[in-house]
Amino acid sequence: MENELSLLNSWVSFADFEEWCESRSIRLGDSWFEFLKDESLIAESAAEAMDERRRRLEGFFADQDIDDLKENFETHGIDYLIEEAASLRAKVKKLEKKTLANEEKPLATRERNTLLTIIAALCKEAKLDHTKHAKTAGLIEDTAKKMGLSVGETTIEGHLKKITSTVVTRMQ
């Protein structure tokens, strides 16, 4: 449609607007300069927020990146920040998809049984009787605490109880 207004194509730089007003002897008052100051603060805050988010997602970068972002904003205006934000959103979505694809899956029976067998072997090597569930669970919990780890005695006991049937199955 010819008469439709496009927001993306209707932006005018501050300098061009000031020049247009000056050419028509339109005096820009204090409110214009307050507006400019507010716009600058908003854009600066947006640039800092985007940079902070990017740093969290991608790691730390040189101060040159921040300077480049500010310089591009000053040169290209708010459109640059909008494009940069869109680009970062696309990258975040891509990273989220990768993260979802790499998420751990629940243990399969074979893997769980292998881990229980390893625990049984480690218990034997440490001279811990895994068939004495409560006593051994208490000893393992204490060792974990000494290592700065937290795992409940009941949880440990539950896993130790699973070992007997797993080991019997593996020995057959």
Side-chain angles (χ1 to χ4, degrees):
M1 295 271 193
E2 284 183 37
N3 294 332
E4 285 188 21
L5 178 66
S6 167
L7 285 176
L8 293 176
N9 296 324
S10 64
W11 293 100
V12 177
S13 74
F14 295 123
D16 289 345
F17 180 72
E18 286 175 339
E19 185 180 312
W20 181 84
C21 289
E22 191 176 302
S23 72
R24 287 162 177 72
S25 299
I26 298 172
R27 185 181 165 276
L28 295 172
D30 292 337
S31 60
W32 169 252
F33 296 107
E34 284 297 315
F35 170 75
L36 276 179
K37 188 171 85 178
D38 290 346
E39 283 294 303
S40 177
L41 290 173
I42 290 168
E44 193 173 301
S45 175
E48 287 172 7
M50 284 187 343
D51 187 60
E52 170 72 24
R53 186 169 183 194
R54 185 188 66 175
R55 284 177 188 261
R56 276 186 276 123
L57 293 172
E58 296 178 2
F60 294 111
F61 289 86
D63 288 337
Q64 183 61 41
D65 287 345
I66 297 169
D67 293 339
D68 289 347
L69 192 62
K70 288 178 181 176
E71 184 180 320
N72 278 315
F73 167 70
E74 289 170 4
T75 305
H76 304 290
I78 195 80
D79 290 343
Y80 174 78
L81 291 179
I82 292 169
E83 289 173 13
E84 186 72 13
S87 172
L88 288 173
R89 279 192 193 110
K91 288 178 184 175
V92 167
K93 284 185 180 182
K94 193 173 184 180
L95 286 171
E96 286 172 350
K97 284 181 183 177
K98 279 186 181 179
T99 301
L100 287 174
N102 292 335
E103 280 186 9
E104 287 190 34
K105 296 174 180 81
L107 288 177
T109 303
R110 183 180 174 114
E111 187 176 11
R112 181 177 34 81
N113 290 344
T114 299
L115 291 172
L116 290 170
T117 303
I118 291 168
I119 293 169
L122 291 172
C123 283
K124 182 173 180 142
E125 184 64 26
K127 298 185 179 11
L128 297 172
D129 186 355
H130 66 78
T131 60
K132 294 182 180 173
H133 310 121
K135 180 179 178 183
T136 303
L139 293 170
I140 293 172
E141 180 187 29
D142 289 341
T143 302
K145 281 182 183 175
K146 290 175 189 171
M147 296 171 62
L149 304 171
S150 174
V151 60
E153 186 176 348
T154 307
T155 302
I156 297 167
E157 190 174 346
H159 290 296
L160 291 174
K161 287 177 181 177
K162 295 176 190 174
I163 289 176
T164 305
S165 62
T166 300
V167 172
V168 168
T169 305
R170 287 239 167 165
M171 294 174 101
Q172 294 175 354

